[in-house]
Amino acid sequence: MNKYYLIVVICVCAVLKSSAQSSWLVPQEQKEKLSLVEFTDAMRASGKEVFSVKCTACHGMPGEGTFNALLNPSPGDPASEKFQMNTDGALFYKISEGRVTMPSFKNALSKADIWNVIAYLRSFNPVYVQETAEKIETNIAPGTVLSLGISFDESKKAVAVQLVGSLEGEKNSIGGVGIKLMAKRYFGNLNIGDVKRTNKEGLSYFSWDHSLPGDSLGNVQLVAQVDQAEVYGDVKTEVTLPIAQVTNKPPLNKDRAMWNTVKKAPIWIIVGYTGGVVTVWFFIFYVLFIMKKVFALGKEPITEEEKVI
């Protein structure tokens, strides 16, 4: 028996070790994340200060190989080639989210602090060339009417949402505006990814998971909405696209849905429910009736014969 337990413990430890050492998967859209500004000496200096306080306990100083080798998975040297192979977006994601022995810093550091740390770490890579995200200034003229369009881009395997502004009969693409995409569900809307800003063509792309359940034809109803309604107004649109997984289960608003209207409920449910309610109320009234009799008997005078007894 002891031998059996020993084997189980060894297997569990092996699985945990394998899990800890497995590659750190980063969502593709996070890998592609870029800083909006070019890294500066001031950012690198600030990043060095943050790194010295928050990161050296595990990673040591970059380039010195003083990282904590006892940790599993190993934190590694930030100046190493393997570490530097991460994209800027991947580093931002890993620092923010954390994993196993790597803590999450999304609540401990600001986004600016995280980018500063990345700027500092990149200073140890002599061949690094920074790529910055396209910063788009939004300047919508007064009186512009905004509208949204939704389509599916087969080449990108993503849902494309385009924001267009109309003013005096002329239409222009609107860039730099945050867009939210949601899929309509029975009990609310399901967010598809994070808020994404439109590019110069007024487009935002949302990665699509084809395993999302749709109807019997694979249709799903999508809702796109402009973020910051207090600034741009309530701009939204809805469209149905055949890009979801085919689901043959009957919708909840069809016949025989237990939580639907009485007219659609099976007769046995109606009879059972009604019978249960009647039975409960019968026992309630019966108990009240017995209690009334007990109180009435308690008020009757005791006879001489009852006193003797």
Side-chain angles (χ1 to χ4, degrees), residues 44-63:
R44 284 185 275 270
S46 177
K48 182 178 181 179
E49 291 181 9
V50 175
F51 187 90
S52 299
V53 174
K54 302 288 187 180
C55 311
T56 52
C58 298
H59 290 280
M61 291 304 295

Side-chain angles (χ1 to χ4, degrees), residues 80-284:
S80 66
E81 182 180 356
K82 180 180 179 181
F83 194 99
Q84 292 290 334
M85 286 177 63
N86 286 284
T87 65
D88 290 349
L91 289 176
F92 188 95
Y93 177 84
K94 292 179 179 182
I95 295 172
S96 299
E97 299 300 325
R99 185 192 71 157
V100 194
T101 56
M102 169 72 180
S104 168
F105 285 98
K106 61 183 176 183
N107 295 322
L109 298 176
S110 67
K111 292 182 179 180
D113 286 335
I114 296 176
W115 281 120
N116 290 345
V117 170
I118 295 172
Y120 168 63
L121 297 180
R122 289 308 192 193
S123 66
F124 295 91
N125 185 349
V127 297
Y128 170 74
V129 178
Q130 185 189 5
E131 182 182 357
T132 57
E134 183 180 31
K135 188 174 182 180
I136 302 171
E137 299 294 339
T138 300
N139 186 15
I140 302 175
T144 301
V145 178
L146 301 178
S147 61
L148 289 165
I150 305 175
S151 61
F152 186 75
D153 191 317
E154 288 287 351
S155 62
K156 295 181 180 293
K157 302 298 181 184
V159 175
V161 180
Q162 186 171 32
L163 179 63
V164 176
S166 300
L167 180 63
E168 298 179 355
E170 184 177 349
K171 291 187 176 182
N172 294 295
S173 299
I174 305 296
V177 176
I179 303 294
K180 293 190 293 186
L181 181 67
M182 297 160 284
K184 270 200 168 183
R185 305 282 89 182
Y186 288 112
F187 304 110
N189 293 333
L190 174 67
N191 287 324
I192 307 298
D194 299 322
V195 174
K196 298 186 183 299
R197 293 196 173 276
T198 53
N199 58 22
K200 287 185 177 180
E201 287 73 40
L203 289 166
S204 291
Y205 292 98
F206 296 82
S207 299
W208 182 253
D209 182 3
H210 286 279
S211 65
L212 185 74
D215 60 15
S216 59
L217 299 176
N219 292 319
V220 62
Q221 193 168 4
L222 298 176
V223 180
Q225 183 175 1
V226 170
D227 196 27
Q228 293 182 302
E230 67 278 7
V231 177
Y232 303 106
D234 187 18
V235 183
K236 66 168 61 175
T237 188
E238 298 183 13
V239 69
T240 300
L241 296 176
I243 57 175
Q245 185 177 25
V246 174
T247 304
N248 293 319
K249 294 181 180 179
L252 301 182
N253 58 355
K254 294 297 183 181
D255 293 348
R256 304 185 70 81
M258 293 181 66
W259 43 77
N260 213 308
T261 60
V262 175
K263 292 181 179 179
K264 295 181 180 179
I267 187 65
W268 63 268
I269 290 183
I270 298 175
V271 172
Y273 175 79
T274 305
V277 171
V278 171
T279 302
V280 169
W281 279 108
F282 171 79
F283 277 106
I284 291 174

